């Protein structure tokens, strides 16, 4: 098996020797071996890049209806967000009746989802999108308005497969004190037996450090408690998620919770920081606003193709904070094609000069690079050697991709 450290050594070696000692074919072979090894940890073949889509909870909470889901799916298509990778349309809590039917099966709420979930899945699929649903690894869901799946895992997994569900968010409320390491694998096995590949999102809130065990159970795992629509909540979730960077990989991703962009509570610059950090952290990009009524600014942020490309890069290595000086931070991570992505973040209320040094971000100090600014969509005219320095405004960031010149 090719490990992450093996791959990083290959990348650095190729830069140092100018590709003379290590051929591109060797690099590609090692890349493919690494990706295959990582995928094999959960045998559903999903999540080779972080999932992208939309989720109902952050904006609608329990006011979710069949109409909302259909119109949100429509909006992803009419805005072109689907073409950028936003494919999942995920129903969160409160979609079901409060009790199961006489045979013990979950039933969609007859008032808010009168057509049923299978018909809704057919509609979403007709748009070229995928449908996600929500359940809980306890006796009830977190709203206490729906039965949980504890003790009914096989029955519910079979139901979801028959409804043509593509994604399951699995929460952690009312769990009767059983450890998540005991409860979540039961649903994993049930999904594997259900006969349909379903992306499995563990919403365990980071309580029992799911990054340490989640890759053998699910395709993503929450590393934090719920996010709220403000700066302090957002950056604290980013910090908590960053601790587990080494555990992210194709097929399994750290999840600092859904995007709050478009929900108010943060400035334009703060939302740019939000999207930049989630992207470079290889976090799931799940829109949490009302996509039917987005502002131009919201759309401009979440539709930035260059930033999305960093998130969806096939190498699948999550960035880390490589330098912190007071409120100034440098986040960096390798990309395919020998490139490096960096985000310069200013948490201060005052402007700051922030420098990314090559020796912090994994490049030899004398490497010459071409720098691409992902938010200004321009390539710097001057090639850089050794470092990059920018003035960053308060609660703002600058994001670049650096490409070595060989």
């Amino acid at each position: 098996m090719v490990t992450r450290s093996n791959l990083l050594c290959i990348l650095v070696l190729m830069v140092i020797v100018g590709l003379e000692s290590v051929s591109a074919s060797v690099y590609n072979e090692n890349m493919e071996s690494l990706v295959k090894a990582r995928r094999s940890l959960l045998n559903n073949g999903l999540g080779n890049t972080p999932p992208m889509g939309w989720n109902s909870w952050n904006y609608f909470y329990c006011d979710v209806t069949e109409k909302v889901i259909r119109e949100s799916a429509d909006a992803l298509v009419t805005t072109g967000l689907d073409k950028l990778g936003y494919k999942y349309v995920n129903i969160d809590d409160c979609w079901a009746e409060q009790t199961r039917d006489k045979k013990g099966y979950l039933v969609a709420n007859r008032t808010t989802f009168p057509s049923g979930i299978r018909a809704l899945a057919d509609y979403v699929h007709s748009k070229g999108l995928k449908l996600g649903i929500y359940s809980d690894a306890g006796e009830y869901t977190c709203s206490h308005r729906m039965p949980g799946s504890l003790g009914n895992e096989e029955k519910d997994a079979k139901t979801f497969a028959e409804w043509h569900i593509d994604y399951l968010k699995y929460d952690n409320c009312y769990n009767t004190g059983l450890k998540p390491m005991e409860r979540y694998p039961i649903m994993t096995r049930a999904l594997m037996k259900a006969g349909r590949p379903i992306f499995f999102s563990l919403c365990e809130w980071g309580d029992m450090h799911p990054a340490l065990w989640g890759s053998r159970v699910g395709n993503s795992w929450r590393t934090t408690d719920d996010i709220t629509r403000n700066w302090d909540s957002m950056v604290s979730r980013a910090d908590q998620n960053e601790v587990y960077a080494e555990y992210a990989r194709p097929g399994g991703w750290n999840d600092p919770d859904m995007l709050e962009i478009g929900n108010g509570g943060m400035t334009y610059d703060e939302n740019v920081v939000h999207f930049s950090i989630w992207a470079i952290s290889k976090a799931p990009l799940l829109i949490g606003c009302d996509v039917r009524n987005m502002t131009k600014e919201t759309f401009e942020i979440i539709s930035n193709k260059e930033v999305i490309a960093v998130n969806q890069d096939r190498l699948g290595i999550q960035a880390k904070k490589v330098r912190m000086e007071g409120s100034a931070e440098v986040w960096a991570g390798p990309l395919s094609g020998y490139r490096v992505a960096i985000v310069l973040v200013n948490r201060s209320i005052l402007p700051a000069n922030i420098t990314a040094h090559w020796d912090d971000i994994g490049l030899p100090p004398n490497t010459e690079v071409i720098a691409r600014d992902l938010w200004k969509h321009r390539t710097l005219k001057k090639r850089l050697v050794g470092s990059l320095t920018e003035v960053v405004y308060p609660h703002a960031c600058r994001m670049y991709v650096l490409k070595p010149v060989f």
Side-chain angles (χ1 to χ4, degrees):
M1 178 184 295
V2 179
T3 66
R4 174 182 301 198
S5 59
N6 295 150
L7 182 57
L8 288 175
C9 287
I10 292 167
L11 289 170
V12 172
L13 180 59
M14 293 177 80
V15 171
I16 293 173
V17 303
L19 305 183
E20 292 179 359
S21 299
V22 183
S23 69
S25 62
V26 171
Y27 169 80
N28 290 331
E29 288 173 6
N30 279 285
M31 172 73 75
E32 291 303 318
S33 297
L34 177 66
V35 170
K36 288 178 181 178
R38 287 174 168 178
R39 286 176 186 163
S40 70
L41 299 178
L42 181 68
N43 297 316
N44 64 8
L46 302 175
N48 297 328
T49 58
M52 296 176 61
W54 173 86
N55 180 283
S56 62
W57 184 256
N58 283 7
Y59 185 85
F60 293 98
Y61 300 101
C62 273
D63 295 327
V64 61
T65 65
E66 177 181 305
K67 182 174 183 288
V68 165
I69 300 302
R70 285 175 177 259
E71 291 178 352
S72 298
D74 292 343
L76 290 180
V77 174
T78 57
T79 59
L81 288 172
D82 64 322
K83 299 295 191 297
L84 299 178
Y86 293 99
K87 294 293 189 182
Y88 287 105
V89 181
N90 292 346
I91 313 167
D92 211 284
D93 202 352
C94 308
W95 60 267
E97 291 286 351
Q98 292 187 333
T99 57
R100 294 172 178 269
D101 68 14
K102 292 181 180 180
K103 294 183 179 180
Y105 288 94
L106 292 169
V107 180
N109 187 292
R110 296 177 180 86
T111 301
T112 54
F113 288 85
S115 301
I117 303 301
R118 173 59 191 272
L120 185 56
D122 290 344
Y123 181 82
V124 170
H125 291 155
S126 75
K127 299 287 181 177
L129 303 172
K130 300 179 180 181
L131 186 67
I133 209 162
Y134 168 97
S135 191
D136 191 284
E139 294 181 325
Y140 305 97
T141 65
C142 292
S143 69
H144 206 281
R145 297 191 188 185
M146 285 171 47
S149 291
L150 186 64
N152 289 282
E153 290 88 354
E154 288 201 15
K155 189 170 289 186
D156 291 352
K158 181 181 178 182
T159 297
F160 298 149
E162 290 176 349
W163 286 347
H164 289 187
I165 293 297
D166 303 294
Y167 183 114
L168 174 62
K169 176 181 175 181
Y170 205 48
D171 224 330
N172 194 34
C173 291
Y174 302 102
N175 53 51
T176 68
L178 293 174
K179 293 181 179 180
M181 295 86 84
E182 299 170 317
R183 290 176 285 110
Y184 279 86
I186 300 173
M187 180 56 83
T188 303
R189 290 190 288 270
L191 290 172
M192 298 298 288
K193 292 167 58 178
R196 179 179 179 82
I198 296 176
F199 185 102
F200 191 25
S201 170
L202 317 181
C203 187
E204 190 265 0
W205 326 316
D207 185 39
M208 296 296 290
H209 309 291
L212 306 183
W213 48 271
S215 64
R216 298 189 179 277
V217 181
N219 298 108
S220 67
W221 42 86
R222 278 277 295 281
T223 53
T224 73
D225 201 353
D226 288 1
I227 193 172
T228 54
R229 52 189 74 174
N230 63 74
W231 169 263
D232 288 339
S233 174
M234 183 270 290
V235 293
S236 69
R237 301 305 181 270
D239 290 342
Q240 294 165 34
N241 188 66
E242 189 266 349
V243 172
Y244 300 105
E246 65 185 276
Y247 297 99
R249 62 197 64 193
W253 307 102
N254 292 317
D255 178 6
D257 206 4
M258 297 167 288
L259 297 166
E260 287 283 14
I261 300 161
N263 285 331
M266 286 187 278
T267 67
Y268 175 83
D269 283 343
E270 289 172 342
N271 280 320
V272 167
V273 174
H274 186 5
F275 199 65
S276 300
I277 292 180
W278 261 238
I280 202 170
S281 298
K282 303 300 187 291
L285 297 181
L286 297 175
I287 304 166
C289 69
D290 184 357
V291 287
R292 306 170 305 172
N293 298 290
M294 288 181 291
T295 65
K296 181 180 178 182
E297 284 190 345
T298 294
F299 179 77
E300 285 178 352
I301 294 171
I302 64 176
S303 65
N304 188 319
K305 295 180 181 180
E306 296 189 78
V307 176
I308 290 170
V310 170
N311 179 261
Q312 296 291 297
D313 184 76
R314 65 179 183 136
L315 190 57
I317 294 179
Q318 180 175 328
K320 291 185 67 67
K321 282 188 278 189
V322 296
R323 180 177 286 267
M324 293 175 285
E325 295 181 354
S327 298
E329 299 176 348
V330 178
W331 296 62
L335 301 174
S336 59
Y338 327 117
R339 300 166 300 148
V340 177
I342 63 170
V343 179
L344 313 178
V345 181
N346 182 11
R347 297 197 182 195
S348 173
I349 58 173
L350 298 173
N353 285 309
I354 303 179
T355 300
H357 298 277
W358 281 195
D359 54 0
D360 285 334
I361 65 177
L363 291 173
N366 62 346
T367 303
E368 184 178 358
V369 307
I370 297 171
R372 176 73 176 176
D373 186 322
L374 303 192
W375 286 104
K376 292 188 176 181
H377 302 294
R378 65 183 178 88
T379 301
L380 301 189
K381 293 181 180 179
K382 183 179 179 181
R383 294 180 177 182
L384 304 176
V385 177
S387 66
L388 180 155
T389 300
E390 290 288 356
V391 175
V392 184
Y393 294 119
H395 285 201
C397 73
R398 303 292 296 272
M399 186 172 188
Y400 294 89
V401 167
L402 308 179
K403 184 177 181 179
V405 178
F406 298 118

